[in-house]
Amino acid sequence: MTIGPVDSSAVPRFAGPATFARLPRLDQVDRADVAVVGVPFDSGVSYRPGARFAPAAVREASRLLRPYHPGLDVSPFDAVQVADAGDIACNPFNIGEAVETVQEQAGALLDTGAKLVTVGGDHTIALPLLRAVARRHGPVALLHFDAHLDTWDTYFGEPYTHGTPFRRAVEEGLLDTAALTHVGTRGPLYGRADLDEDTRLGFGIVTAADVMRRGVDEVAQALRERVGDRPLYVSIDIDVLDPAHAPGTGTPEAGGLTSRELLEILRGLAGCDLVSADVVEVAPAYDHADITSIAASHVAYDLVSLLALKGKS
């Protein structure tokens, strides 16, 4: 029997501790099939900082989430035990040490048998998360939802930043290069060589314009076909959304997905072998009326629901 969220008919949603979706803490359950964990770290950003405050903001925005997901026809908190694992506290002054800390603590959570939905933090954390996941599952397929490629080599000579995690992941053999796709990319690049290098690493691209023209059902089908039956990791930079839907982020780009498009594409991944996921780059200081945090909380809820579908099958 699972322990679910606090009963909103007994305790108002605006009262009590702000765990994700008002779920129990990890230390309040015997086990967790899915653990929601925060990583309040933003030392790898190249423009606007502030994503260190995202885990708290997303938890607060998640108070209104309800226990039944009609789009996927699943009650995720009944189907599997979901718990809030708190935050991975890592060194904000040493990126290398922070990467090691995230890898170690994420690995420890995975070793309990839990799948992770991680709330960042900036996109630097995707690399240690993928290291931990690949240690358990081998090289994984990757669906990377983002305005940007994040496959650059270095920034100011530094190899570990929020713009480099997926180049490092390919170099380290963490990813199955037959099943890598960026979704939602757009905006100016440094040059054509950025795309050539990205292709060389094995990535396919579905741009934000492709989503608009092809529609979410066709895009989701193409992504499912590319992933196949491989273990899948999904990494979502909230800036994949247009600034109208996610103003609170560090590197916004015009012309992005709507929150509806993103959620429907995610729901179209039902049946894939999702093993863990992250949602990153929410910067609450730049948000308006919690728009971005609300969007991120719903994205995390859909990821939890996908894992719950897989867990009960």
Side-chain angles (χ1 to χ4, degrees):
M1 184 174 181
T2 62
I3 301 175
V6 174
D7 183 356
S8 62
S9 67
V11 180
R13 293 185 180 279
F14 45 80
T19 58
F20 182 79
R22 308 181 83 208
L23 286 160
R25 301 189 314 267
L26 187 60
D27 62 0
Q28 295 176 311
V29 296
D30 294 332
R31 71 180 205 292
D33 302 301
V34 179
V36 180
V37 60
V39 183
F41 172 85
D42 63 6
S43 299
V45 300
S46 58
Y47 194 48
R48 303 194 305 200
R52 66 183 61 186
F53 298 109
V58 173
R59 287 186 177 102
E60 190 66 32
S62 74
R63 286 179 178 271
L64 197 56
L65 294 172
R66 298 178 181 89
Y68 173 65
H69 192 314
L72 290 171
D73 188 24
V74 65
S75 297
F77 311 137
D78 289 336
V80 295
Q81 180 63 65
V82 188
D84 190 319
D87 289 341
I88 296 175
C90 45
N91 191 334
F93 303 109
N94 186 315
I95 292 178
E97 182 181 320
V99 165
E100 292 177 3
T101 300
V102 174
Q103 179 182 345
E104 177 183 346
Q105 295 194 27
L109 286 169
L110 290 169
D111 285 344
T112 68
K115 305 294 191 298
L116 302 186
V117 174
T118 305
V119 179
D122 75 56
H123 226 152
T124 309
I125 69 169
L127 176 62
L129 292 170
L130 283 166
R131 286 175 176 172
V133 167
R135 182 175 64 85
R136 189 168 186 84
H137 296 280
V140 294
L142 174 72
L143 295 180
H144 169 221
F145 293 79
D146 202 323
H148 311 97
L149 301 174
D150 289 2
T151 52
W152 287 280
D153 191 13
T154 62
Y155 280 93
F156 292 88
E158 293 299 320
Y160 301 114
T161 77
H162 76 159
T164 65
F166 302 114
R167 179 183 286 253
R168 299 287 91 81
V170 170
E171 292 171 347
E172 294 180 18
L174 309 178
L175 302 178
D176 184 334
T177 55
L180 308 178
T181 307
H182 305 295
V183 183
T185 55
R186 62 194 186 275
L189 298 170
Y190 296 106
R192 173 72 207 188
D194 293 343
L195 294 172
D196 294 338
E197 281 289 291
D198 195 72
T199 299
R200 183 183 64 80
L201 292 169
F203 282 88
I205 294 178
V206 178
T207 68
D210 292 331
V211 174
M212 176 191 69
R213 293 190 175 97
R214 296 168 60 185
V216 295
D217 292 339
E218 182 180 326
V219 167
Q221 176 63 27
L223 296 177
R224 286 196 304 270
E225 289 174 1
R226 186 163 173 85
V227 169
D229 60 359
R230 299 171 178 88
L232 170 64
Y233 189 91
V234 173
S235 185
I236 302 174
D237 186 326
I238 205 65
D239 74 20
V240 72
L241 299 179
D242 189 88
H245 298 265
T249 191
T251 47
E253 304 279 359
L257 275 58
T258 67
S259 53
R260 179 174 58 240
E261 287 172 329
L262 175 57
L263 292 172
E264 287 300 321
I265 291 171
L266 290 177
R267 293 164 192 173
L269 301 178
C272 290
D273 186 16
L274 182 64
V275 294
S276 282
D278 65 58
V279 186
V280 299
E281 299 283 355
V282 173
Y286 303 100
D287 209 1
H288 304 287
D290 301 329
I291 293 171
T292 313
S293 298
I294 290 167
S297 73
H298 280 263
V299 168
Y301 177 67
D302 270 44
L303 293 168
V304 168
S305 297
L306 287 169
L307 288 167
L309 274 177
K310 178 175 179 290
K312 76 170 191 175
S313 62

